[in-house]
Amino acid sequence: MSLFQVFRVALRALVRNKLRSFLTTLGIIIGVGAVIAMVAIGEGAKARVQEAFASVGSNMLIVLPGATTQGGAMGGFGSLPTVTWEDLEAIQSELPSVRWAAPSLRSAGQLQSDEQNWSTQINGTTPEYFELRGWKIARGSGLSSSDVEAGTKVVVLGQTVVEKLYGNNADPLGQLVRIKSMLFQVIGVLEKKGQSPVGQDFDDAVFIPVSTYRSKIQGGLGNYIAGVVFVGAASAADVTRAQSEVTALLRERHRIQPGADDDFSIRNLTEMAGAMQQGTNTLTALLASIAAVSLLVGGIGIMNIMLVSVTERTREIGVRMAVGARPGHILAQFLVEALTLALLGGLIGVGLGLLTAARLASAFGWPMLVRPEIIALAVGFSALVGVGFGLYPAHKASRLDPITALRYE
Amino acid sequence: MSAPAATETLVRLTGVTKVYRMGDVEVQALRGVSLAIAQGGLTAIMGASGSGKSTLMNIVGCLDRPSAGRYELAGRDISGLSRAALAELRNRTLGFVFQSFNLLARTSAIENVELPLLYAGVPGRERRRRAVAALGRVGLADRLRHHPAQLSGGQQQRVALARALVMEPRLILADEPTGNLDSTTSAEVMALLQQLGDGGITVVLVTHESDIAAYAERVIVMRDGCVQSDHAQQPLRAPEPAAAAPAMLAPTTAVERPALAAPTGAAR
């Protein structure tokens, strides 16, 4: 008896009880569908996190002045400026693993156009900052080194600021805005960047040359940088090396004794992204395992109905045995029946899961990510469930005594 | 398939006993039965219920194994065979006809008949051909697609007979084959069985009705697990049924078989 024949006989038995077969597979359908949907949610969330971190900037370190631990009272990072402009220079020029280094000095301030005003964050920085963060100019030009050297009063606006001051789709290039009652010329508009991982609007900011910032907006710290330093590693592989190199360089320059605490701190965004990703991975695993439990429940449902089916068809089994079915034939028949139920449920479940995943993806506005290996895994697992839970009823059927089976009422 | 020499023994039981355990009680269903049945012909096993005739038939049909004693089928000792080997023996050497027909419900006549071929691994087209031929032999060539529920009792029993025949077995076991049939259809089925016996297949008939046993040429009477009597007799010839052309019962391989049955055949 060929496998095809076994399959045909099994299929006919299932078709004979359509509703029952469907209800039996429902457990598997829900299980597989849930696994697919849950994993898709997890993957979508992960992609979202990745995206968010990529928008901050990739391969990036942030050097914050101030000690992480210094006795009891601490004013927080930046309250005790320890990183100097020479330090920045050294980081930029001496370390091979560092591609860019840029200062970022910021404060809140009000901008005034002819018609409107808007309070936003004013950043003083250098052209490297935009390279480092992968932030492109949408219109006009960005800050140039000559702007920084000369300390010109030019400003680059973020999209949100443009909208607030000039309205949508306005072209503010060449306009003059007032910052602290000084006139700055708008030379460029940045691309939209979106939100940070914690929901801060990156586009609600303006950028002016760091020299201008120091002389006109907030001077007074002399040699020390009253802000943070962004460091871009040469490549993703260099991030860790850059972190240790920057640490070693600053410790040396600050003459910190071995064993003493750093008087600065470095945030590794890649590491943070990794931790966050691990978090979403755990979430995905949790969701998927809950879904897997329902698959197991579905398997028990199959076993249950197969046991009923074996009892119901005892006489049929007897007849089959009388005309020459070997125990192996009977075993195969019921096993394939259980397998077919599970696989059918698995396939419908995949369809349903994909549909759910697509709906959820569009509802949450994140990319729909379904890895084919997850589908294969879900279908494979449901097949396994079918075989696993079908084995006992099938074995029971194959061990029936033909005489008893034939006389069964 | 010409009839083998009547002297060849197909079934030989030697001191066969069968003991069932029902809880703490041991039931002696067979207490040392010895008998031999030759190839061909119709043998009836009679007896009241509880006489052991069904147990005897189960053992002869390789559905059950003796507790003690020896059973040889076609010269082969079957007492030590595995379940799978017994299944194969049932498939290739034996055919069953039951009182309650035991056709698969909601399954067409031809598929019922194909069942033994399926388990024998006969490929699809050949299977179909042989099943059609077998149904033709019992006069149901026009009922291939009918389900058991759409057939009369007599027709159902003839489908069962076709299923028993389709593997060209050497032994057909019929357990009260007419028990659920009226007397006219009973006679029809008996005519078919008789003709099979005449054609060289050994037919063993289990019945408690003496007017059915009358069709047999040998009657074995069981009582309390022993053979009470065993005698040959002049069989009653079943009237030729008008519906099923008897010539259809001729084995497909022997077209010019001498007319053991009435030569009304070749009508179709």
Side-chain angles (χ1 to χ4, degrees), chain A residues 1 5 8 12 16 315-316 319-326 329 398-400 402-403 406, chain B residues 58 63-64 83-84 87-88 90-91 96 100 102 104 106-107 111 115 118-119 127 163:
Chain A
M1 198 173 180
Q5 283 299 333
R8 239 188 58 157
R12 285 193 57 160
R16 218 164 264 169
R315 216 186 160 99
E316 176 195 323
V319 172
R320 289 179 183 276
M321 284 176 162
V323 301
R326 289 192 287 270
H329 286 132
S398 75
R399 298 309 301 172
L400 279 175
I403 302 162
L406 275 169
Chain B
N58 288 339
L63 290 165
D64 206 350
R83 281 165 60 97
E88 192 161 337
R90 289 196 294 271
N91 185 236
F96 290 92
S100 48
N102 274 340
L104 297 190
R106 287 179 287 183
T107 305
E111 279 173 308
L115 210 55
L118 206 63
Y119 289 118
R127 201 164 62 221
R163 184 178 66 190

mmCIF file of all heavy atoms in Angstrom, chain A residues 1 5 8 12 16 315-316 319-326 329 398-400 402-403 406, chain B residues 58 63-64 83-84 87-88 90-91 96 100 102 104 106-107 111 115 118-119 127 163:
data_model
loop_
_atom_site.group_PDB
_atom_site.id
_atom_site.type_symbol
_atom_site.label_atom_id
_atom_site.label_comp_id
_atom_site.label_asym_id
_atom_site.label_seq_id
_atom_site.Cartn_x
_atom_site.Cartn_y
_atom_site.Cartn_z
ATOM 1 N N MET A 1 0.853 -1.185 0.000
ATOM 2 C CA MET A 1 0.000 0.000 0.000
ATOM 3 C C MET A 1 0.892 1.239 0.000
ATOM 4 O O MET A 1 1.703 1.421 0.891
ATOM 5 C CB MET A 1 -0.849 -0.016 1.267
ATOM 6 C CG MET A 1 -2.040 0.893 1.195
ATOM 7 S SD MET A 1 -3.072 0.638 2.645
ATOM 8 C CE MET A 1 -4.376 1.768 2.343
ATOM 9 N N GLN A 5 -1.714 6.110 -1.187
ATOM 10 C CA GLN A 5 -2.972 5.439 -0.838
ATOM 11 C C GLN A 5 -3.330 5.670 0.616
ATOM 12 O O GLN A 5 -4.482 5.939 0.950
ATOM 13 C CB GLN A 5 -2.849 3.937 -1.110
ATOM 14 C CG GLN A 5 -2.956 3.574 -2.578
ATOM 15 C CD GLN A 5 -4.294 3.976 -3.156
ATOM 16 O OE1 GLN A 5 -5.285 4.061 -2.458
ATOM 17 N NE2 GLN A 5 -4.312 4.250 -4.449
ATOM 18 N N ARG A 8 -4.640 9.034 0.951
ATOM 19 C CA ARG A 8 -5.977 9.176 0.388
ATOM 20 C C ARG A 8 -7.040 8.643 1.348
ATOM 21 O O ARG A 8 -8.075 9.261 1.553
ATOM 22 C CB ARG A 8 -6.058 8.421 -0.942
ATOM 23 C CG ARG A 8 -6.437 9.323 -2.092
ATOM 24 C CD ARG A 8 -6.700 8.514 -3.318
ATOM 25 N NE ARG A 8 -7.752 7.533 -3.091
ATOM 26 C CZ ARG A 8 -8.478 7.004 -4.053
ATOM 27 N NH1 ARG A 8 -8.249 7.333 -5.296
ATOM 28 N NH2 ARG A 8 -9.419 6.125 -3.789
ATOM 29 N N ARG A 12 -9.935 10.845 3.160
ATOM 30 C CA ARG A 12 -11.359 10.535 3.025
ATOM 31 C C ARG A 12 -12.023 10.433 4.375
ATOM 32 O O ARG A 12 -13.139 10.907 4.572
ATOM 33 C CB ARG A 12 -11.527 9.207 2.287
ATOM 34 C CG ARG A 12 -11.268 9.350 0.826
ATOM 35 C CD ARG A 12 -11.730 8.133 0.100
ATOM 36 N NE ARG A 12 -13.145 7.876 0.357
ATOM 37 C CZ ARG A 12 -13.899 7.137 -0.418
ATOM 38 N NH1 ARG A 12 -13.377 6.596 -1.496
ATOM 39 N NH2 ARG A 12 -15.156 6.929 -0.137
ATOM 40 N N ARG A 16 -15.014 12.967 5.687
ATOM 41 C CA ARG A 16 -16.285 12.393 6.110
ATOM 42 C C ARG A 16 -16.842 13.121 7.330
ATOM 43 O O ARG A 16 -18.031 13.227 7.526
ATOM 44 C CB ARG A 16 -16.069 10.918 6.443
ATOM 45 C CG ARG A 16 -17.192 10.050 6.029
ATOM 46 C CD ARG A 16 -16.750 8.621 6.020
ATOM 47 N NE ARG A 16 -16.342 8.202 4.706
ATOM 48 C CZ ARG A 16 -15.709 7.068 4.467
ATOM 49 N NH1 ARG A 16 -15.341 6.298 5.453
ATOM 50 N NH2 ARG A 16 -15.405 6.733 3.247
ATOM 51 N N ARG A 315 -14.839 -1.393 14.207
ATOM 52 C CA ARG A 315 -15.316 -2.418 13.284
ATOM 53 C C ARG A 315 -14.630 -2.298 11.939
ATOM 54 O O ARG A 315 -14.236 -3.296 11.334
ATOM 55 C CB ARG A 315 -16.825 -2.266 13.127
ATOM 56 C CG ARG A 315 -17.515 -3.578 12.979
ATOM 57 C CD ARG A 315 -18.968 -3.327 12.691
ATOM 58 N NE ARG A 315 -19.520 -4.528 12.091
ATOM 59 C CZ ARG A 315 -20.206 -5.414 12.792
ATOM 60 N NH1 ARG A 315 -20.399 -5.247 14.072
ATOM 61 N NH2 ARG A 315 -20.697 -6.485 12.183
ATOM 62 N N GLU A 316 -14.493 -1.056 11.479
ATOM 63 C CA GLU A 316 -13.786 -0.836 10.217
ATOM 64 C C GLU A 316 -12.356 -1.377 10.306
ATOM 65 O O GLU A 316 -11.866 -2.020 9.377
ATOM 66 C CB GLU A 316 -13.761 0.665 9.907
ATOM 67 C CG GLU A 316 -12.965 0.983 8.652
ATOM 68 C CD GLU A 316 -12.615 2.465 8.530
ATOM 69 O OE1 GLU A 316 -13.439 3.305 8.907
ATOM 70 O OE2 GLU A 316 -11.503 2.757 8.046
ATOM 71 N N VAL A 319 -12.497 -5.065 9.949
ATOM 72 C CA VAL A 319 -12.698 -5.478 8.556
ATOM 73 C C VAL A 319 -11.383 -5.364 7.782
ATOM 74 O O VAL A 319 -10.976 -6.274 7.057
ATOM 75 C CB VAL A 319 -13.782 -4.616 7.880
ATOM 76 C CG1 VAL A 319 -13.839 -4.906 6.395
ATOM 77 C CG2 VAL A 319 -15.118 -4.863 8.526
ATOM 78 N N ARG A 320 -10.714 -4.237 7.987
ATOM 79 C CA ARG A 320 -9.444 -4.035 7.282
ATOM 80 C C ARG A 320 -8.439 -5.120 7.648
ATOM 81 O O ARG A 320 -7.713 -5.640 6.807
ATOM 82 C CB ARG A 320 -8.872 -2.652 7.590
ATOM 83 C CG ARG A 320 -9.664 -1.531 6.931
ATOM 84 C CD ARG A 320 -9.090 -0.171 7.267
ATOM 85 N NE ARG A 320 -9.881 0.901 6.694
ATOM 86 C CZ ARG A 320 -9.745 1.350 5.441
ATOM 87 N NH1 ARG A 320 -8.813 0.824 4.660
ATOM 88 N NH2 ARG A 320 -10.515 2.302 4.983
ATOM 89 N N MET A 321 -8.415 -5.464 8.932
ATOM 90 C CA MET A 321 -7.492 -6.508 9.368
ATOM 91 C C MET A 321 -7.872 -7.854 8.762
ATOM 92 O O MET A 321 -7.021 -8.624 8.348
ATOM 93 C CB MET A 321 -7.483 -6.600 10.896
ATOM 94 C CG MET A 321 -6.697 -5.480 11.546
ATOM 95 S SD MET A 321 -6.809 -5.581 13.336
ATOM 96 C CE MET A 321 -5.410 -4.564 13.792
ATOM 97 N N ALA A 322 -9.197 -8.119 8.717
ATOM 98 C CA ALA A 322 -9.648 -9.409 8.190
ATOM 99 C C ALA A 322 -9.242 -9.568 6.730
ATOM 100 O O ALA A 322 -8.864 -10.650 6.297
ATOM 101 C CB ALA A 322 -11.161 -9.532 8.336
ATOM 102 N N VAL A 323 -9.297 -8.492 5.965
ATOM 103 C CA VAL A 323 -8.962 -8.625 4.549
ATOM 104 C C VAL A 323 -7.461 -8.468 4.310
ATOM 105 O O VAL A 323 -7.024 -8.467 3.161
ATOM 106 C CB VAL A 323 -9.729 -7.636 3.642
ATOM 107 C CG1 VAL A 323 -11.218 -7.837 3.796
ATOM 108 C CG2 VAL A 323 -9.328 -6.207 3.918
ATOM 109 N N GLY A 324 -6.692 -8.343 5.369
ATOM 110 C CA GLY A 324 -5.249 -8.436 5.180
ATOM 111 C C GLY A 324 -4.434 -7.212 5.550
ATOM 112 O O GLY A 324 -3.249 -7.155 5.237
ATOM 113 N N ALA A 325 -5.068 -6.215 6.238
ATOM 114 C CA ALA A 325 -4.249 -5.088 6.677
ATOM 115 C C ALA A 325 -3.344 -5.546 7.806
ATOM 116 O O ALA A 325 -3.802 -6.175 8.752
ATOM 117 C CB ALA A 325 -5.154 -3.955 7.152
ATOM 118 N N ARG A 326 -2.071 -5.265 7.675
ATOM 119 C CA ARG A 326 -1.133 -5.610 8.746
ATOM 120 C C ARG A 326 -1.214 -4.516 9.803
ATOM 121 O O ARG A 326 -1.656 -3.403 9.517
ATOM 122 C CB ARG A 326 0.286 -5.698 8.182
ATOM 123 C CG ARG A 326 0.481 -6.912 7.311
ATOM 124 C CD ARG A 326 1.943 -7.140 7.011
ATOM 125 N NE ARG A 326 2.461 -6.161 6.066
ATOM 126 C CZ ARG A 326 2.452 -6.339 4.738
ATOM 127 N NH1 ARG A 326 1.966 -7.449 4.236
ATOM 128 N NH2 ARG A 326 2.937 -5.415 3.954
ATOM 129 N N HIS A 329 -0.109 -1.262 8.624
ATOM 130 C CA HIS A 329 -1.030 -0.509 7.768
ATOM 131 C C HIS A 329 -1.974 0.350 8.602
ATOM 132 O O HIS A 329 -2.231 1.503 8.289
ATOM 133 C CB HIS A 329 -1.877 -1.468 6.921
ATOM 134 C CG HIS A 329 -1.123 -2.105 5.794
ATOM 135 N ND1 HIS A 329 -1.177 -3.453 5.544
ATOM 136 C CD2 HIS A 329 -0.288 -1.584 4.877
ATOM 137 C CE1 HIS A 329 -0.426 -3.736 4.499
ATOM 138 N NE2 HIS A 329 0.133 -2.611 4.075
ATOM 139 N N SER A 398 -3.713 -0.246 15.997
ATOM 140 C CA SER A 398 -2.989 -1.330 15.336
ATOM 141 C C SER A 398 -2.895 -2.574 16.222
ATOM 142 O O SER A 398 -2.692 -3.670 15.731
ATOM 143 C CB SER A 398 -1.583 -0.859 14.955
ATOM 144 O OG SER A 398 -0.769 -0.795 16.103
ATOM 145 N N ARG A 399 -3.074 -2.376 17.550
ATOM 146 C CA ARG A 399 -2.961 -3.521 18.451
ATOM 147 C C ARG A 399 -4.316 -4.195 18.681
ATOM 148 O O ARG A 399 -4.405 -5.154 19.439
ATOM 149 C CB ARG A 399 -2.383 -3.101 19.817
ATOM 150 C CG ARG A 399 -0.995 -2.525 19.779
ATOM 151 C CD ARG A 399 -0.004 -3.382 19.028
ATOM 152 N NE ARG A 399 0.130 -4.721 19.582
ATOM 153 C CZ ARG A 399 0.816 -5.690 18.998
ATOM 154 N NH1 ARG A 399 1.401 -5.476 17.828
ATOM 155 N NH2 ARG A 399 0.922 -6.876 19.547
ATOM 156 N N LEU A 400 -5.359 -3.665 18.057
ATOM 157 C CA LEU A 400 -6.679 -4.260 18.261
ATOM 158 C C LEU A 400 -6.677 -5.716 17.808
ATOM 159 O O LEU A 400 -6.021 -6.085 16.833
ATOM 160 C CB LEU A 400 -7.739 -3.489 17.464
ATOM 161 C CG LEU A 400 -8.273 -2.200 18.066
ATOM 162 C CD1 LEU A 400 -9.206 -1.529 17.074
ATOM 163 C CD2 LEU A 400 -9.010 -2.487 19.367
ATOM 164 N N PRO A 402 -8.323 -8.546 15.904
ATOM 165 C CA PRO A 402 -9.287 -8.510 14.794
ATOM 166 C C PRO A 402 -10.648 -9.101 15.146
ATOM 167 O O PRO A 402 -11.682 -8.603 14.686
ATOM 168 C CB PRO A 402 -8.587 -9.309 13.686
ATOM 169 C CG PRO A 402 -7.370 -9.900 14.280
ATOM 170 C CD PRO A 402 -7.047 -9.149 15.530
ATOM 171 N N ILE A 403 -10.663 -10.136 15.963
ATOM 172 C CA ILE A 403 -11.952 -10.765 16.285
ATOM 173 C C ILE A 403 -12.812 -9.816 17.104
ATOM 174 O O ILE A 403 -13.983 -9.578 16.795
ATOM 175 C CB ILE A 403 -11.738 -12.070 17.087
ATOM 176 C CG1 ILE A 403 -10.860 -13.013 16.287
ATOM 177 C CG2 ILE A 403 -13.046 -12.717 17.436
ATOM 178 C CD1 ILE A 403 -10.258 -14.096 17.120
ATOM 179 N N LEU A 406 -14.011 -6.984 14.985
ATOM 180 C CA LEU A 406 -15.082 -7.352 14.060
ATOM 181 C C LEU A 406 -16.422 -7.477 14.770
ATOM 182 O O LEU A 406 -17.466 -7.238 14.179
ATOM 183 C CB LEU A 406 -14.746 -8.687 13.389
ATOM 184 C CG LEU A 406 -13.858 -8.590 12.158
ATOM 185 C CD1 LEU A 406 -13.379 -9.963 11.753
ATOM 186 C CD2 LEU A 406 -14.598 -7.931 11.014
ATOM 187 N N ASN B 58 -12.532 -18.803 13.654
ATOM 188 C CA ASN B 58 -11.519 -17.762 13.845
ATOM 189 C C ASN B 58 -10.111 -18.326 13.691
ATOM 190 O O ASN B 58 -9.225 -17.693 13.129
ATOM 191 C CB ASN B 58 -11.659 -17.116 15.225
ATOM 192 C CG ASN B 58 -12.890 -16.224 15.303
ATOM 193 O OD1 ASN B 58 -13.395 -15.785 14.279
ATOM 194 N ND2 ASN B 58 -13.372 -15.987 16.501
ATOM 195 N N LEU B 63 -7.513 -15.569 12.267
ATOM 196 C CA LEU B 63 -7.798 -14.371 13.046
ATOM 197 C C LEU B 63 -7.364 -14.599 14.485
ATOM 198 O O LEU B 63 -7.201 -13.669 15.258
ATOM 199 C CB LEU B 63 -9.296 -14.043 13.013
ATOM 200 C CG LEU B 63 -9.839 -13.538 11.674
ATOM 201 C CD1 LEU B 63 -11.355 -13.612 11.666
ATOM 202 C CD2 LEU B 63 -9.381 -12.120 11.422
ATOM 203 N N ASP B 64 -7.190 -15.846 14.832
ATOM 204 C CA ASP B 64 -6.851 -16.215 16.198
ATOM 205 C C ASP B 64 -5.881 -17.385 16.143
ATOM 206 O O ASP B 64 -5.780 -18.068 15.123
ATOM 207 C CB ASP B 64 -8.143 -16.615 16.942
ATOM 208 C CG ASP B 64 -8.013 -16.409 18.440
ATOM 209 O OD1 ASP B 64 -6.883 -16.140 18.898
ATOM 210 O OD2 ASP B 64 -9.035 -16.513 19.131
ATOM 211 N N ARG B 83 1.606 -11.434 13.935
ATOM 212 C CA ARG B 83 0.355 -10.792 13.508
ATOM 213 C C ARG B 83 0.430 -10.334 12.057
ATOM 214 O O ARG B 83 -0.522 -10.474 11.292
ATOM 215 C CB ARG B 83 0.075 -9.584 14.406
ATOM 216 C CG ARG B 83 -0.510 -9.943 15.746
ATOM 217 C CD ARG B 83 -0.420 -8.760 16.699
ATOM 218 N NE ARG B 83 -1.158 -7.598 16.193
ATOM 219 C CZ ARG B 83 -2.392 -7.283 16.567
ATOM 220 N NH1 ARG B 83 -3.026 -8.035 17.430
ATOM 221 N NH2 ARG B 83 -2.984 -6.212 16.088
ATOM 222 N N ALA B 84 1.595 -9.789 11.704
ATOM 223 C CA ALA B 84 1.755 -9.297 10.333
ATOM 224 C C ALA B 84 1.717 -10.458 9.333
ATOM 225 O O ALA B 84 1.089 -10.363 8.274
ATOM 226 C CB ALA B 84 3.060 -8.527 10.207
ATOM 227 N N ALA B 87 -1.744 -11.597 8.925
ATOM 228 C CA ALA B 87 -2.483 -10.646 8.098
ATOM 229 C C ALA B 87 -2.214 -10.916 6.625
ATOM 230 O O ALA B 87 -3.125 -10.900 5.792
ATOM 231 C CB ALA B 87 -2.084 -9.215 8.464
ATOM 232 N N GLU B 88 -0.982 -11.213 6.324
ATOM 233 C CA GLU B 88 -0.642 -11.471 4.931
ATOM 234 C C GLU B 88 -1.294 -12.762 4.433
ATOM 235 O O GLU B 88 -1.773 -12.845 3.299
ATOM 236 C CB GLU B 88 0.882 -11.548 4.784
ATOM 237 C CG GLU B 88 1.286 -11.522 3.338
ATOM 238 C CD GLU B 88 2.726 -11.134 3.161
ATOM 239 O OE1 GLU B 88 3.291 -10.492 4.057
ATOM 240 O OE2 GLU B 88 3.282 -11.499 2.114
ATOM 241 N N ARG B 90 -4.103 -13.995 5.587
ATOM 242 C CA ARG B 90 -5.529 -13.682 5.393
ATOM 243 C C ARG B 90 -5.733 -12.973 4.065
ATOM 244 O O ARG B 90 -6.701 -13.179 3.355
ATOM 245 C CB ARG B 90 -6.028 -12.758 6.527
ATOM 246 C CG ARG B 90 -6.152 -13.419 7.867
ATOM 247 C CD ARG B 90 -7.007 -12.581 8.805
ATOM 248 N NE ARG B 90 -6.420 -11.302 9.160
ATOM 249 C CZ ARG B 90 -5.607 -11.088 10.186
ATOM 250 N NH1 ARG B 90 -5.271 -12.109 10.967
ATOM 251 N NH2 ARG B 90 -5.138 -9.890 10.445
ATOM 252 N N ASN B 91 -4.781 -12.117 3.760
ATOM 253 C CA ASN B 91 -4.887 -11.332 2.545
ATOM 254 C C ASN B 91 -4.801 -12.204 1.293
ATOM 255 O O ASN B 91 -5.570 -12.029 0.353
ATOM 256 C CB ASN B 91 -3.772 -10.280 2.552
ATOM 257 C CG ASN B 91 -3.872 -9.321 1.391
ATOM 258 O OD1 ASN B 91 -2.922 -9.189 0.640
ATOM 259 N ND2 ASN B 91 -5.007 -8.665 1.240
ATOM 260 N N PHE B 96 -13.161 -13.690 3.551
ATOM 261 C CA PHE B 96 -14.184 -13.751 4.599
ATOM 262 C C PHE B 96 -15.519 -13.221 4.114
ATOM 263 O O PHE B 96 -15.576 -12.227 3.396
ATOM 264 C CB PHE B 96 -13.768 -12.914 5.818
ATOM 265 C CG PHE B 96 -12.630 -13.493 6.590
ATOM 266 C CD1 PHE B 96 -11.322 -13.126 6.306
ATOM 267 C CD2 PHE B 96 -12.862 -14.419 7.596
ATOM 268 C CE1 PHE B 96 -10.268 -13.665 7.018
ATOM 269 C CE2 PHE B 96 -11.809 -14.955 8.317
ATOM 270 C CZ PHE B 96 -10.505 -14.581 8.028
ATOM 271 N N SER B 100 -23.023 -9.956 8.980
ATOM 272 C CA SER B 100 -23.434 -8.551 8.859
ATOM 273 C C SER B 100 -22.680 -7.845 7.732
ATOM 274 O O SER B 100 -22.498 -6.641 7.758
ATOM 275 C CB SER B 100 -23.210 -7.840 10.182
ATOM 276 O OG SER B 100 -21.912 -8.126 10.651
ATOM 277 N N ASN B 102 -20.209 -6.542 6.832
ATOM 278 C CA ASN B 102 -18.972 -5.840 7.163
ATOM 279 C C ASN B 102 -18.342 -5.129 5.977
ATOM 280 O O ASN B 102 -17.133 -5.211 5.752
ATOM 281 C CB ASN B 102 -17.962 -6.797 7.791
ATOM 282 C CG ASN B 102 -18.180 -6.922 9.287
ATOM 283 O OD1 ASN B 102 -18.794 -6.057 9.897
ATOM 284 N ND2 ASN B 102 -17.697 -8.006 9.858
ATOM 285 N N LEU B 104 -17.345 -1.500 4.306
ATOM 286 C CA LEU B 104 -17.057 -0.161 4.818
ATOM 287 C C LEU B 104 -18.184 0.759 4.378
ATOM 288 O O LEU B 104 -18.512 0.839 3.196
ATOM 289 C CB LEU B 104 -15.731 0.358 4.280
ATOM 290 C CG LEU B 104 -14.484 -0.426 4.680
ATOM 291 C CD1 LEU B 104 -13.237 0.348 4.290
ATOM 292 C CD2 LEU B 104 -14.462 -0.722 6.178
ATOM 293 N N ARG B 106 -20.286 4.107 3.521
ATOM 294 C CA ARG B 106 -19.979 5.303 2.731
ATOM 295 C C ARG B 106 -18.760 5.096 1.827
ATOM 296 O O ARG B 106 -17.968 5.989 1.613
ATOM 297 C CB ARG B 106 -19.765 6.507 3.649
ATOM 298 C CG ARG B 106 -21.073 6.995 4.230
ATOM 299 C CD ARG B 106 -20.866 8.158 5.149
ATOM 300 N NE ARG B 106 -20.271 7.738 6.414
ATOM 301 C CZ ARG B 106 -20.032 8.568 7.431
ATOM 302 N NH1 ARG B 106 -20.300 9.830 7.302
ATOM 303 N NH2 ARG B 106 -19.529 8.124 8.548
ATOM 304 N N THR B 107 -18.609 3.874 1.393
ATOM 305 C CA THR B 107 -17.505 3.538 0.508
ATOM 306 C C THR B 107 -18.111 2.701 -0.605
ATOM 307 O O THR B 107 -18.878 1.784 -0.321
ATOM 308 C CB THR B 107 -16.439 2.731 1.281
ATOM 309 O OG1 THR B 107 -16.053 3.475 2.421
ATOM 310 C CG2 THR B 107 -15.232 2.445 0.422
ATOM 311 N N GLU B 111 -14.705 0.116 -4.272
ATOM 312 C CA GLU B 111 -13.627 0.410 -3.326
ATOM 313 C C GLU B 111 -13.569 -0.615 -2.207
ATOM 314 O O GLU B 111 -12.497 -0.958 -1.715
ATOM 315 C CB GLU B 111 -13.810 1.816 -2.755
ATOM 316 C CG GLU B 111 -13.303 2.872 -3.702
ATOM 317 C CD GLU B 111 -13.626 4.275 -3.239
ATOM 318 O OE1 GLU B 111 -14.800 4.543 -2.952
ATOM 319 O OE2 GLU B 111 -12.700 5.069 -3.154
ATOM 320 N N LEU B 115 -10.224 -3.244 -1.480
ATOM 321 C CA LEU B 115 -9.506 -3.175 -0.209
ATOM 322 C C LEU B 115 -8.400 -4.233 -0.042
ATOM 323 O O LEU B 115 -7.257 -3.891 0.253
ATOM 324 C CB LEU B 115 -10.522 -3.257 0.930
ATOM 325 C CG LEU B 115 -10.168 -2.547 2.223
ATOM 326 C CD1 LEU B 115 -9.842 -1.091 1.983
ATOM 327 C CD2 LEU B 115 -11.329 -2.680 3.203
ATOM 328 N N LEU B 118 -5.534 -3.479 -2.223
ATOM 329 C CA LEU B 118 -4.797 -2.323 -1.713
ATOM 330 C C LEU B 118 -3.715 -2.790 -0.736
ATOM 331 O O LEU B 118 -2.558 -2.389 -0.818
ATOM 332 C CB LEU B 118 -5.793 -1.406 -1.002
ATOM 333 C CG LEU B 118 -5.493 0.062 -0.895
ATOM 334 C CD1 LEU B 118 -5.432 0.680 -2.273
ATOM 335 C CD2 LEU B 118 -6.587 0.745 -0.093
ATOM 336 N N TYR B 119 -4.130 -3.668 0.177
ATOM 337 C CA TYR B 119 -3.168 -4.124 1.187
ATOM 338 C C TYR B 119 -2.156 -5.097 0.602
ATOM 339 O O TYR B 119 -1.101 -5.305 1.166
ATOM 340 C CB TYR B 119 -3.901 -4.736 2.380
ATOM 341 C CG TYR B 119 -4.628 -3.692 3.193
ATOM 342 C CD1 TYR B 119 -6.002 -3.712 3.335
ATOM 343 C CD2 TYR B 119 -3.913 -2.656 3.787
ATOM 344 C CE1 TYR B 119 -6.662 -2.727 4.059
ATOM 345 C CE2 TYR B 119 -4.556 -1.669 4.504
ATOM 346 C CZ TYR B 119 -5.933 -1.708 4.637
ATOM 347 O OH TYR B 119 -6.571 -0.732 5.357
ATOM 348 N N ARG B 127 -5.668 -3.068 -9.964
ATOM 349 C CA ARG B 127 -6.595 -3.206 -8.850
ATOM 350 C C ARG B 127 -8.025 -3.003 -9.340
ATOM 351 O O ARG B 127 -8.932 -3.770 -9.051
ATOM 352 C CB ARG B 127 -6.225 -2.136 -7.820
ATOM 353 C CG ARG B 127 -6.696 -2.409 -6.431
ATOM 354 C CD ARG B 127 -5.961 -1.521 -5.449
ATOM 355 N NE ARG B 127 -6.203 -0.120 -5.697
ATOM 356 C CZ ARG B 127 -5.276 0.817 -5.639
ATOM 357 N NH1 ARG B 127 -4.032 0.502 -5.341
ATOM 358 N NH2 ARG B 127 -5.578 2.078 -5.868
ATOM 359 N N ARG B 163 -15.402 -9.233 -2.592
ATOM 360 C CA ARG B 163 -14.210 -8.822 -1.853
ATOM 361 C C ARG B 163 -13.427 -10.047 -1.385
ATOM 362 O O ARG B 163 -12.204 -10.061 -1.396
ATOM 363 C CB ARG B 163 -14.616 -7.962 -0.646
ATOM 364 C CG ARG B 163 -13.447 -7.405 0.125
ATOM 365 C CD ARG B 163 -13.904 -6.537 1.272
ATOM 366 N NE ARG B 163 -14.616 -7.318 2.279
ATOM 367 C CZ ARG B 163 -15.296 -6.800 3.294
ATOM 368 N NH1 ARG B 163 -15.378 -5.477 3.408
ATOM 369 N NH2 ARG B 163 -15.911 -7.555 4.170
#
